[in-house]
Amino acid sequence: MTVGEKIKYCREQIGITQGKLAELTGIHPVSIRKYETNKMQPQPPQLEKIAAALGVSYNALNNIDNAGMRLETVGDLMGVLMVLCNSGILQVSGERDKEGLLRKDTLSISFNPLLSDYFEFVHTKTKEKNADTFPLNHLLLQIKNPLVLDNFLAWEKIHFLYHNSIQAAGDNPNKAEQKILQEIAERKEKIELILQKSPEMLDKSDGLAVKILPDYFSSK
């Protein structure tokens, strides 16, 4: 099913009209109609509001199929990192330069703190029963491979620009704004395709590292 078909199906399941859905989300009724007929694609902020109004998961409406993902090449790894960041599992922060690019020395990749109630990191070299454990919100991921780091920063820049543009356009962007968003989205997709084409095989000795934040030990 397309995103539009899913929206229509979920809307009809709870018995509300397009007009009511527009009222609940603050999105123009014409936009709702265009979403359902696939004449226009809802951007993430709009899709989040629609999902909330329909009482369904955002991921359930979003057409992303990760079932066929694999992890063999640098390109594969980039795809996985993009999915983890897009889904909110990983969160990226740091200082940006004038062009909006994150500075390498300030880059911080952390797990979504909401996951700390469900998962913990086990630090052990053996299968000991009483191994040390650490909350996910006290861990940072560090990208050790220079190529992967550069590729990730290049992707994060266009990702940041895209989402900033969406927020600036608001819920009901005019035609000019829609055109700009479409152009940025297409550029983002092209960059993502290029970054996922790297055929270099992953080296198990040089990928991702986990850093335990010092405040964890000071709080114990």
Side-chain angles (χ1 to χ4, degrees), residues 48 58-59 62 64 66 80-91 112 114-115 155 159 163:
E48 287 177 1
Y58 170 87
N59 292 332
N62 201 13
I64 298 179
N66 303 321
V80 171
L81 287 174
M82 292 174 195
V83 169
L84 292 176
C85 291
N86 279 326
S87 64
I89 294 175
L90 294 181
Q91 298 182 336
N112 189 319
L114 293 175
L115 297 175
W155 170 78
H159 178 74
H163 282 276

Side-chain angles (χ1 to χ4, degrees), residues 73-108:
T73 67
V74 171
D76 294 339
L77 177 57
M78 283 303 306
V80 171
L81 287 174
M82 292 174 195
V83 169
L84 292 176
C85 291
N86 279 326
S87 64
I89 294 175
L90 294 181
Q91 298 182 336
V92 182
S93 61
E95 298 178 12
R96 298 182 182 275
D97 59 24
K98 294 181 179 179
E99 296 182 353
L101 184 66
L102 280 172
R103 288 173 44 194
K104 290 183 182 181
D105 58 331
T106 68
L107 174 64
S108 176

Side-chain angles (χ1 to χ4, degrees), residues 11 18 39 48 53 107 110 144 157-158 162 165 182 185:
R11 175 179 61 76
Q18 290 180 340
K39 293 181 179 178
E48 287 177 1
L107 174 64
S110 58
K144 299 190 297 180
K157 179 180 178 180
I158 187 66
Y162 174 62
S165 300
Q182 184 62 35

Side-chain angles (χ1 to χ4, degrees), residues 14 16-27 49 52-54:
I14 61 175
I16 64 174
T17 64
Q18 290 180 340
K20 184 61 177 179
L21 180 57
E23 179 185 333
L24 292 173
T25 58
I27 300 173
K49 293 180 179 180
L54 296 175

